[in-house]
Amino acid sequence: MPRKRAPRRGLVLGAGGVLGSAWMIGALRAYQAQTGDDARSFDVIVGTSAGSVVAALLSLGVGVDAMADSERGLYEPGTPVLDYRDLGVSLPPPPRMRMGSPRLLTSAVLHPRRTTPLVALAALLPQGRGTIAAVGDLVASAAAQHAASATGWPRRLRVVAMDFDTGTRVLFGANGAPEVAAPQAVMASCAIPGWYAPVTIGGRRFVDGGTRSPTSLDLCVDAGLDEILVLAPACAFDCDRPRHPVAIAERQLRRAATRRLAREIVLAETTGTSVCALSPGREDLEVMGGNVMDVTRRAEVFETALRTCAAVFADRAAGAAAEAGAAGGVTVPEKAAAVTLDPTKPTRPTRPRRPTVPATAPPVAGPARLATAPTRRTGPVRRPAVREEPGLTVREEPGLAG
């Protein structure tokens, strides 16, 4: 009897600033504690902005435990130091008095349906003066300490950045992407428009990949992945109601990012991929506040995520176990479990129907929102038009004509 093929798993780590990085490390620590899986064991790891830093460290062999210790200020010899204070204060330096990308703005005006308000705003903002070199140094240090070439590319790593003149995304590490060292690619993915200066690679300017998508989950479509775990610190399926004007504006951006993620989840599920997406809940958001670059909140955000995400993964495991018991002792694959996370109500051990993710995600109670796809579809499915890449497939985007 032929041996059953092990499922190919992908990890997608989204944008979210310094606090988003702390939240993701807490979520990954909780995931490992609950499942026993090593986050470094995923077949493909995709990172955007802050997620690209964590993705690069995992791909280079740095464990989640070492990152968690770093968040707590504990550093073992030979481990990277995640000290984002080298990036400067929690506010951007005065920018240059010139438009960020006139070419991108012109394309946005000529083709308004091909872009988003956030991309147009990024083009309009003045050019940032901040330097992102500390992030590149962190990744280079991890590469050197783990006997990896500073110029080589980790096999499983994919990093998303946006071309600042065309508005299209580039997936560094995929076939056809510009050849670049991992530290430079991560710097490009983290270069927030208006805050940091764009990173030039191969004569092209690149900025934060989160400008186009909070996670770029859609770039994993038709990549041959059976299961995808998405950590989206820039989204929130269960938003709080802050009173500070900055936090209110930040939540509006977060809602828009959540709608984008919801559409990308549906797109991935149409190919039969099981998607599990986790984002901050109300308690996490209250600790984060309105400035995701506030380094003084890192430790508290990490500890909160460690607790809230542990509860989420525990509820999911309990739901899967209860469902298996209701089926008469038949083991139900974990990817077939869908759990409504509400700690005030018992989890019902019923086999759910395939959920439909609306364009506007409904609020749910609980520490965080976990979206899972119940079962893989059988038979022919309609697949979106894609351009095939070894290891990952890049979806053709309308882009912005230059």
Side-chain angles (χ1 to χ4, degrees):
M1 186 175 179
R3 182 184 302 177
K4 186 177 180 181
R5 180 181 68 87
R8 277 179 52 82
R9 303 183 304 139
L11 175 63
V12 175
L13 304 175
V18 171
L19 299 186
S21 172
W23 182 87
M24 282 186 287
I25 293 171
L28 287 172
R29 180 73 175 270
Y31 169 80
Q32 288 192 163
Q34 179 62 48
T35 65
D37 294 336
D38 192 321
R40 294 171 291 185
S41 66
F42 284 89
D43 297 285
V44 178
I45 305 177
V46 182
T48 301
S49 192
S52 71
V53 181
V54 180
L57 294 179
L58 289 173
S59 301
L60 290 168
V62 180
V64 172
D65 289 342
M67 291 187 235
D69 288 343
S70 185
E71 292 294 332
R72 289 169 167 163
L74 306 174
Y75 309 111
E76 293 292 333
T79 59
V81 178
L82 280 73
D83 190 350
Y84 292 102
R85 288 176 296 181
D86 292 337
L87 293 176
V89 296
S90 301
L91 295 174
R96 293 182 173 89
M97 290 297 101
R98 64 178 67 174
M99 189 182 300
S101 180
R103 183 180 175 187
L104 179 56
L105 183 62
T106 300
S107 298
V109 172
L110 295 177
H111 308 282
R113 294 185 179 180
R114 295 185 181 181
T115 186
T116 65
L118 187 58
V119 172
L121 176 62
L124 183 61
L125 287 173
Q127 294 183 11
R129 290 181 181 270
T131 176
I132 202 76
V135 169
D137 293 341
L138 171 65
V139 177
S141 173
Q145 292 172 1
H146 287 75
S149 171
T151 59
W153 186 270
R155 179 180 56 85
R156 294 171 295 171
L157 176 64
R158 302 292 184 270
V159 173
V160 183
M162 186 184 80
D163 189 309
F164 204 26
D165 291 318
T166 66
T168 57
R169 285 174 293 177
V170 173
L171 194 63
F172 292 111
N175 187 36
E179 293 187 5
V180 62
Q184 194 173 12
V186 172
M187 289 168 58
S189 184
C190 294
I192 303 172
W195 191 311
Y196 298 110
V199 176
T200 302
I201 298 174
R204 299 159 61 185
R205 298 187 306 158
F206 293 95
V207 294
D208 196 321
T211 307
R212 281 300 304 266
S213 170
T215 64
S216 286
L217 170 62
D218 57 329
L219 297 187
C220 298
V221 169
D222 212 19
L225 296 173
D226 301 295
E227 304 169 0
I228 301 178
L229 172 62
V230 182
L231 300 183
C235 302
F237 288 94
D238 184 19
C239 223
D240 62 344
R241 297 180 180 273
R243 295 184 179 182
H244 195 281
V246 174
I248 293 174
E250 193 271 350
R251 298 303 187 267
Q252 292 297 325
L253 294 175
R254 193 175 286 273
R255 291 186 181 95
T258 306
R259 290 193 293 269
R260 169 81 188 221
L261 174 60
R263 292 193 296 268
E264 292 182 358
I265 290 174
V266 172
L267 180 64
E269 288 178 351
T270 60
T271 67
T273 303
S274 174
V275 179
C276 171
L278 185 66
S279 64
R282 295 187 182 184
E283 187 176 354
D284 300 291
L285 294 176
E286 290 175 1
V287 175
M288 287 181 172
N291 182 3
V292 295
M293 299 296 288
D294 187 353
V295 296
T296 63
R297 295 174 178 250
R298 273 181 55 213
E300 188 177 4
V301 168
F302 165 76
E303 297 294 347
T304 302
L306 193 61
R307 182 179 66 258
T308 58
C309 294
V312 169
F313 288 121
D315 283 350
R316 182 171 185 251
E323 188 173 313
V330 178
T331 301
V332 179
E334 186 174 349
K335 68 177 182 180
V339 184
T340 300
L341 300 176
D342 188 343
T344 64
K345 300 178 182 179
T347 302
R348 297 182 179 181
T350 58
R351 190 173 186 84
R353 294 179 295 177
R354 189 175 186 84
T356 301
V357 183
T360 303
V364 293
R369 166 70 175 176
L370 180 65
T372 56
T375 56
R376 252 183 134 185
R377 294 184 178 181
T378 58
V381 296
R382 288 183 10 173
R383 297 178 181 270
V386 295
R387 172 165 54 85
E388 293 187 359
E389 303 275 14
L392 250 182
T393 301
V394 181
R395 196 167 147 261
E396 289 286 3
E397 298 182 303
L400 298 175

